[in-house]
């Protein structure tokens, strides 16, 4: 339920008319486990901040899972960070 609150993607997956609805376990393909954990920690533990190390994969996952608030915070971090090379 918590993921569905933060993401229309998960809301549709868990509560829409998809095969995942009602399942106890759902496999999310093509997602790095550690990167997804960073995203989960960020949305579950509000005191956790986006860092130069996590910003790019959090932004990628937030975009994939339609997490607008997380995307906004990641973009803000990118624009304010002095530690990330803009050419990359």
């Amino acid at each position: 339920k918590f993921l569905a609150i933060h993401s229309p993607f998960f809301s549709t997956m868990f509560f829409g008319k998809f095969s995942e609805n009602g399942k106890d376990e759902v496999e999310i393909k093509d997602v790095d486990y550690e990167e997804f954990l960073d995203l989960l920690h960020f949305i579950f533990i509000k005191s956790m901040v986006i860092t130069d190390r996590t910003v790019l994969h959090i932004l990628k996952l937030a975009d994939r899972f339609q997490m607008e608030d997380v995307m906004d915070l990641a973009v803000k971090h990118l624009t304010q960070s002095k530690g990330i090379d803009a050419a990359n």
Side-chain angles (χ1 to χ4, degrees):
K1 290 180 183 180
F2 196 77
L3 280 173
I5 290 169
H6 291 278
S7 165
F9 175 91
F10 286 113
S11 179
T12 301
M13 177 187 282
F14 297 141
F15 301 107
K17 296 182 181 186
F18 289 91
S19 62
E20 293 87 0
N21 185 339
K23 288 187 176 181
D24 291 334
E25 229 176 79
V26 175
E27 180 181 0
I28 302 172
K29 296 181 188 238
D30 301 322
V31 174
D32 180 85
Y33 174 78
E34 295 295 327
E35 291 180 0
F36 195 71
L37 273 181
D38 284 341
L39 178 68
L40 291 177
H41 283 132
F42 182 74
I43 64 171
F44 280 101
I45 305 168
K46 291 294 183 188
S47 63
M48 185 175 175
V49 295
I50 294 174
T51 66
D52 290 350
R53 181 190 68 78
T54 63
V55 66
L56 294 178
H57 61 262
I58 286 179
L59 182 60
K60 173 184 71 174
L61 292 173
D63 181 50
R64 176 175 174 184
F65 299 124
Q66 304 167 345
M67 297 175 161
E68 295 292 329
D69 292 342
V70 177
M71 284 178 49
D72 291 344
L73 292 170
V75 168
K76 182 178 178 181
H77 178 85
L78 280 173
T79 59
Q80 295 177 348
S81 177
K82 294 178 181 19
I84 296 178
D85 183 3
N88 291 329

